[in-house]
Amino acid sequence: MHDFQYRQGELYCEDVPLSRIAKEVGTPCYVYSHATLLRHFRAYDSAFQNIPHIVAFAMKANSNLAILRLLAREGSGVDIVSGGELYRARQAEVPTSKIVFAGVGKSREEIRDALKSDILMFNVESSAELHAIDEVAAEMGVRARVALRINPDIDPKTHPYISTGLKKSKFGISADRALEEFKLASSLKHIEVVGVHKHIGSQLTDVTPFVEALRKVLGLVEALKAQEIGIRYVNIGGGLGITYADESPPRPQDLADAISPLVRDLKCVLIMEPGRVIVGNAGVLVTKVLYTKEGEAKRFMIVDAAMNDLIRPSLYGAYHDIRPIREAAAHGERKTVDVVGPVCESGDFLAKDRSMPEAKPGELLAVMSAGAYGFVMSSNYNSRPRAPEVLVKGGEMHVIRARETYADLVRGETIPDFLR
Ligand code: LLP
């Protein structure tokens, strides 16, 4: 459920017509619904209300400061993967006691910054990283709290690029070697082992792989207990899918119902890292039709948003519904088109072979379900300034990130004297 609905013949975000936003900030632009964000966060959080837990929003999905702030005010923590994300989280005043740090390649500077911030824990992905964290913590005279990320070798049955819990994946420590790694971790003087972590992939549309992976992890927790390695936190990662087309993914409550019986008597704090399920359907990308073009073999609808604004279709072949903002246009004659952007690449498309109502130049379209991995994956390719982001709350619209300017494009670049 989201708050982008037709009213009086126009697509609205809550009480604001998207056409008004397009008029004020131009296109392309990202628009997020405050009500949807809140509802999604609360649905997730309250599904787990009977279990001690921390929701650590996976901010890689959407790291705008306003969104982080609004989730933090609801009690959310964050899952970070870089020093930059730590910086953003701190700017948004996310409590550091709810920050967990994942990723296979944390640099020593990033480790130092995170220790300085006294984050809740690192999710460690290799023994080399354990040693690095131990060394940095020793230099600083502190102990680093860590969880080890286990790769449970479970197929999440999702796109290979967003599948992370298989043997061949770069993520985590294999379940067979986990016990050994935990022993190493607990022998290191500046490491405090507090948890176990897993995340098997993204856009999961079935709870079964979650449950299987968790069973493996809980087996390990038992084995650790026998070795007197106490685990206080079990982190189940993120990955719950959303509806882009006709998927019917489990709801947070279904996930909670499936895993609660397994963790109820564990006496651990559960950590979850949902990203997409919180923000995905809370955002759209508004774009304008520039031209239509009858190619020899295909029809093209050329719009002003491109792969640099939303790369998911190009990178994963992802499907995003595209709706005209004028409802009447939605009922026009349909034709099969490729919806493409101005970037000079054949891979620049938002939809392929899509049956779309005909649209004239100037018509506004909403690319749906673009709130997760949308703006955050955008780039300046073809020297295109990145789109603005707008947060709608009831009848109010707030620009939460301004459109980049041409000057922004060259910020930091210099022409050396010998070229002058
Ligand atoms: N925790 C960890 C350790 C992760 O690596 C991820 C996502 C999440 C949590 C959040 O997963 P979510 O709940 O959002 O599924 N760019 C891709 C998705 C990449 C996901 C990377 N890791 C896409 O656009 O589909």
Side-chain angles (χ1 to χ4, degrees), residues 58 60-61 79 102 149 162 197 199 201-203 237-240 273-277 312 316 373 377:
K60 61 175 82 63
D79 155 43
R149 176 171 181 176
I162 54 177
H197 175 241
H199 168 81
S202 201
Q203 184 55 15
L240 208 55
E273 303 172 335
R276 189 188 317 264
V277 70
R312 303 193 70 257
Y316 314 113
Y373 308 108
M377 292 181 82

Side-chain angles (χ1 to χ4, degrees), residues 208-237:
T208 316
F210 274 106
V211 173
E212 280 176 34
L214 184 59
R215 277 191 203 285
K216 272 208 175 172
V217 165
L218 295 179
L220 176 67
V221 172
E222 282 307 307
L224 291 171
K225 264 193 205 154
Q227 303 278 334
E228 293 186 357
I229 300 176
I231 294 295
R232 290 188 271 140
Y233 296 91
V234 172
N235 185 332
I236 64 167

Side-chain angles (χ1 to χ4, degrees), residues 86 90 93-100 117-121:
L86 175 59
R90 301 228 44 187
E93 294 173 42
V94 177
T96 53
S97 61
K98 292 183 189 169
I99 298 181
V100 295
S117 291
D118 197 24
I119 64 162
L120 179 57
M121 73 183 77

Side-chain angles (χ1 to χ4, degrees), residues 104 124-131 148 172-173 177 181:
V104 295
V124 175
E125 309 233 10
S126 66
S127 37
E129 184 193 332
L130 261 181
H131 285 294
L148 298 196
I173 295 164
R177 286 214 358 262
E181 293 290 338

Side-chain angles (χ1 to χ4, degrees), residues 271-289:
I271 301 178
M272 320 38 133
E273 303 172 335
R276 189 188 317 264
V277 70
I278 308 288
V279 290
N281 283 323
V284 302
L285 172 63
V286 179
T287 182
K288 189 170 70 190
V289 178

